[in-house]
Amino acid sequence: MVNLMNKIKSEKIKKKLKESSVGIAGAGGLGSNAAIALARAGIGRLIIVDFDKVEASNLDRQYYFLDQIGKNKTEAMKENLEKINPMVTIEIYNKKLEKGSMEKPFKDVDVVIEALDNAETKTTFIEEILSKLPDKPLVAASGVAGYGHSDRIKTNRCGNLYLCYDEKAKSCDEDVLSAPRVALMANWEASLAIEIILGEDK
Amino acid sequence: MSIEVNGKNVDWVQNETVEGLLKRMRYTFPLVVVKINDKVIQKQDFSKVLVPNNSNIAVIHMISGG
């Protein structure tokens, strides 16, 4: 009976995730790892926006492979996601998010994930999404750099903004970016997106 | 006559702008997102928007890395 209940619950969750969509701004350390987690989890549709190309220096933390160096990150990401879960609909936009129109690719997704790198772009993006799409849940991350101190990471919720936050972390200009911590934050963001879509697990 | 800033009770000061509050709180980070009663305040308005009495203010520091 317990097994049957669990099976019903898991089928319900699968269906809900399949019908849901997540937009990801940036396909670097945060975005690439979050996208992989969401594709594995069975999110139905992912929208990924980035303008960069894969570089050798990205491979220490971003979900790309040696033979993808030089490719657009969005295209490389699509390839990788399709190898894991071909059932996901993937829309990619190979462009830079510009101030004034940052919300455009994300108008019809269920949850937006901020996965940008520098603090200024993060701030602008958050301000634009919160003011132009006020009903849209937005997951963001601040304080990704460094290593260890995993227990300082918290979810700071403020209305529709869910911030994966280590307020004591240094900027990546002053500290290293390390794969486990970047992936931890990325997966934290992905996990928050799923929690928002499914509702709190009681 | 008080406001709540990041969960802390702080005195309300009449005619204080967002910029003034950030200074008083010694929030020196250059990149912050400010919400007053859940409404985002655009950065260019920090010097114009007054902090209302009894308001709830969230100041979030954005730190580079990703």
Side-chain angles (χ1 to χ4, degrees):
Chain A
M1 193 62 193
V2 172
N3 277 340
L4 180 62
M5 292 287 279
N6 198 25
K7 204 171 169 212
I8 293 168
K9 183 183 173 187
S10 95
E11 287 304 317
K12 243 174 115 178
I13 285 176
K14 262 191 208 159
K15 183 168 179 286
K16 177 78 182 157
L17 293 175
K18 180 91 190 79
E19 291 164 353
S20 302
S21 57
V22 175
I24 304 175
L30 288 171
S32 64
N33 286 298
I36 296 286
L38 291 170
R40 287 194 201 277
I43 290 286
R45 188 167 140 254
L46 290 172
I47 293 178
I48 301 166
V49 187
D50 200 296
F51 67 97
D52 242 344
K53 287 189 163 49
V54 178
E55 291 176 39
S57 64
N58 301 149
L59 299 186
D60 65 357
R61 65 191 188 282
Q62 305 186 15
Y63 212 112
Y64 300 104
F65 299 93
L66 270 174
D67 61 2
Q68 292 180 314
I69 290 171
K71 277 191 183 173
N72 288 329
K73 284 187 179 175
T74 49
E75 278 148 30
M77 195 74 254
K78 191 164 192 277
E79 283 175 17
N80 298 345
L81 294 168
E82 280 168 349
K83 278 189 195 165
I84 291 168
N85 186 353
M87 301 300 282
V88 188
T89 304
I90 300 155
E91 283 172 43
I92 53 174
Y93 295 94
N94 196 58
K95 62 169 196 170
K96 195 172 173 129
L97 290 164
E98 299 284 357
K99 192 173 180 172
S101 62
M102 286 180 152
E103 85 290 0
K104 274 196 180 150
F106 306 113
K107 280 187 175 155
D108 70 339
V109 296
D110 295 308
V111 179
V112 181
I113 291 183
E114 175 278 317
L116 302 161
D117 49 8
N118 86 69
E120 192 162 3
T121 328
K122 282 176 183 285
T123 310
T124 312
F125 184 78
I126 292 171
E127 281 180 359
E128 284 210 14
I129 299 292
L130 293 181
S131 53
K132 291 184 183 168
L133 306 173
D135 299 326
K136 192 80 69 190
L138 169 62
V139 178
S142 175
V144 179
Y147 58 91
H149 293 299
S150 311
D151 48 355
R152 281 200 318 230
I153 304 169
K154 282 182 194 152
T155 303
N156 181 325
R157 186 174 173 191
C158 172
N160 263 335
L161 171 66
Y162 299 73
L163 187 70
C164 169
Y165 201 21
D166 176 0
E167 59 182 338
K168 293 202 173 112
K170 290 191 186 118
S171 142
C172 65
D173 304 323
E174 304 165 82
D175 208 341
V176 295
L177 286 164
S178 75
R181 195 175 150 96
V182 172
L184 190 61
M185 286 277 214
N187 280 282
W188 196 298
E189 286 194 287
S191 186
L192 274 170
I194 286 177
E195 193 180 334
I196 293 163
I197 288 165
L198 296 177
E200 196 185 339
D201 189 14
K202 291 192 188 104
Chain B
M1 304 293 254
S2 69
I3 53 175
E4 198 180 305
V5 185
N6 286 356
K8 275 182 250 164
N9 261 317
V10 174
D11 285 339
W12 176 68
V13 174
Q14 202 168 4
N15 292 326
E16 186 176 45
T17 62
V18 172
E19 193 178 70
L21 176 70
L22 292 177
K23 256 188 214 150
R24 177 156 68 100
M25 297 298 294
R26 299 209 174 91
Y27 288 156
T28 52
F29 276 81
L31 296 157
V32 292
V33 174
V34 175
K35 291 182 94 177
I36 299 183
N37 297 331
D38 258 351
K39 188 173 173 287
V40 188
I41 310 298
Q42 301 287 335
K43 209 175 305 135
Q44 66 262 26
D45 298 332
F46 283 5
S47 58
K48 290 175 246 164
V49 173
L50 298 180
V51 178
N53 190 17
N54 293 318
S55 54
N56 191 319
I57 296 137
V59 181
I60 300 156
H61 303 150
M62 296 313 293
I63 307 163
S64 284

